[in-house]
Amino acid sequence: MSEQPQNAAAATEEPEYQSGFGNHFSSEARPGALPRGQNSPLICPFGLYAEQISGTSFTAPRKHNQRSWFYRIKPSVTHKPFDRRVPRHNRLVGEFDRSTSSATPTQLRWRPADVPDSPVDFVDGLYTVCGAGSAFLRHGYAIHMYAANKSMDNCAFCNADGDFLIVPQQGRLWITTECGRLFVSPGEIVVLPQGLRFLVDLPDGPSRGYVAEVFGVHFQLPDLGPIGANGLAAPRDFLVPTAWFEEKFHPGYTIVQKFGGDLFVAEQDFSPFNVVAWHGNYVPYKYDLNKFCPFNTVLIDHGDPSINTVLTAPSDKPGIALLDFVIFPPRWLVSEHTFRPPYYHRNCMSEFMGLIYGVYDAKADGFLPGGASLHSCMTPHGPDTKTFEATIAHGKGADPFRIKDTMAFMFESYLIPRVCPWVLDSPYLDCDYYQCWIGLKSHFSSEGSDRTGGAPQVEIMAVKGD
């Protein structure tokens, strides 16, 4: 284990994982490395250092408390002081106000960004699109995108601001963390908790994707309510890494820390991935979106997108999310006498959408894999003209059909996003997005229509009693 190279860009096999969401895990890369009966003995096995990482306050209720214990070759405190990174990364935001971003109710859409020609790793390829709140105040979120073509070299990243939920769209990610390694492909997601150090290798070369970041809370599974005990994302399908460590002298190794949206660097002479054993419930994890069990309408009307929630970061208001992660996977549409694509609507929540692959059923043209759209609070949106006309042309006799070979998603929040200037000025901004609705025409007729509204008529038979 310790003899394998840190850079695993050529790796082709999945590492071993543990399964479950919110479990208390334990893992040893060397048998006997975990202390027995206590967390911090006077002398740890193999001469290791005990170190705790806390994702919640010490006094959080037990059911919400998150922390892990690491048993490492050298403690993470062994580094030089942090300095502001030079040159500064000017496209990351941790505090959303008038000085960093602007608000707009206009519907926005972006075409897929090209991966840069010059060498760019995950850190430098990361840029903020929009967000709300403040990392300093521990409340809010940021939505980023990334485009990179180079593995991180002799450095690790640490996000002190919040949790990262990464959605790769092109190119696999080989992610090394203090808890072990994860291999993440497009169609999967990975969550990297606040404060955990990690690096990103690119085994396929060019890569791009989306990132949601939440401040002050952690992602959890949504309540199922009337659905019952099963469905949506199953806890057992979430995968957590097993312990893996590197014992190697690394002169000039750099820790890049995101703090308040700015980047700082500190130098050390060893790999931060020197954790020989660990236990706890504050861990990175990945999930295959194709394992999601969707629910849908089986008679009339279109269900609300909340039935497709994979993970939620709750607010302090019951039933209202700081940020939901919702997907639109392959599924059957069987509803009768119903307009099956998403209906036209205005929403008190703001919606950022991305497309991993395929075609989104509400947008026949223009919304491409790797692209994105933003519909803010109470801004109207819905199917484009082509989708609407094609749908009603089927008439009442539309047979059940399966939406396949697609995976779209949405980051949804009750906080109104402010948008960063570089994405408003981006060459990838689709300035003609509004045109997709301009062609919608009136079908109104005061003399009636054969497109009758209302629920399907049910024939009632009278049964004569005795």
Side-chain angles (χ1 to χ4, degrees), residues 230-250:
N230 305 289
L232 307 189
R236 69 174 181 170
D237 291 328
F238 289 81
L239 301 180
V240 170
T242 53
W244 177 90
F245 72 96
E246 182 181 46
E247 182 183 8
K248 189 175 180 181
F249 181 62
H250 267 291

Side-chain angles (χ1 to χ4, degrees), residues 26-204:
S26 62
S27 185
E28 299 175 315
R30 287 286 182 271
L34 278 174
R36 301 296 187 257
Q38 65 180 118
N39 294 320
S40 186
L42 179 63
I43 299 177
C44 293
F46 299 109
L48 298 170
Y49 288 87
E51 177 179 298
Q52 182 177 242
I53 181 168
S54 298
T56 56
S57 63
F58 297 138
T59 54
R62 180 182 287 263
K63 65 180 179 179
H64 299 306
N65 206 298
Q66 296 188 37
R67 65 92 176 93
S68 287
W69 280 90
F70 295 154
Y71 300 93
R72 59 195 321 151
I73 297 168
K74 290 183 72 173
S76 59
V77 72
T78 315
H79 61 75
K80 296 179 181 179
F82 280 101
D83 294 312
R84 194 176 295 275
R85 187 171 181 254
V86 178
R88 184 178 180 181
H89 194 316
N90 292 317
R91 298 200 300 168
L92 289 177
V93 177
E95 192 159 23
F96 293 88
D97 55 33
R98 295 186 179 213
S99 68
T100 61
S101 50
S102 59
T104 175
T106 298
Q107 303 98 333
L108 300 174
R109 184 165 71 183
W110 293 270
R111 295 181 292 273
D114 295 329
V115 176
D117 294 328
S118 58
V120 175
D121 65 14
F122 175 81
V123 177
D124 287 318
L126 190 68
Y127 60 95
T128 308
V129 176
C130 61
S134 167
F136 293 102
L137 298 179
R138 314 303 306 127
H139 180 66
Y141 68 94
I143 293 173
H144 316 279
M145 297 181 72
Y146 70 89
N149 56 18
K150 172 182 176 292
S151 296
M152 294 172 61
D153 183 28
N154 211 41
C155 69
F157 191 51
C158 175
N159 181 12
D161 293 338
D163 288 9
F164 269 170
L165 188 162
I166 302 176
V167 185
Q169 185 273 321
Q170 174 186 324
R172 296 171 297 173
L173 307 179
W174 180 266
I175 301 177
T176 304
T177 77
E178 293 171 275
C179 292
R181 301 169 298 169
L182 303 107
F183 206 35
V184 187
S185 301
E188 297 180 316
I189 62 167
V190 62
V191 173
L192 301 169
Q194 175 191 6
L196 200 73
R197 293 177 177 179
F198 66 92
L199 72 80
V200 178
D201 284 311
L202 306 180
D204 302 327

Side-chain angles (χ1 to χ4, degrees), residues 273-285:
F273 310 112
N274 65 352
V275 177
V276 182
W278 61 269
H279 75 87
N281 62 351
Y282 193 60
V283 293
Y285 53 88

Side-chain angles (χ1 to χ4, degrees), residues 462-466:
V463 179
K464 186 176 182 180
D466 293 334

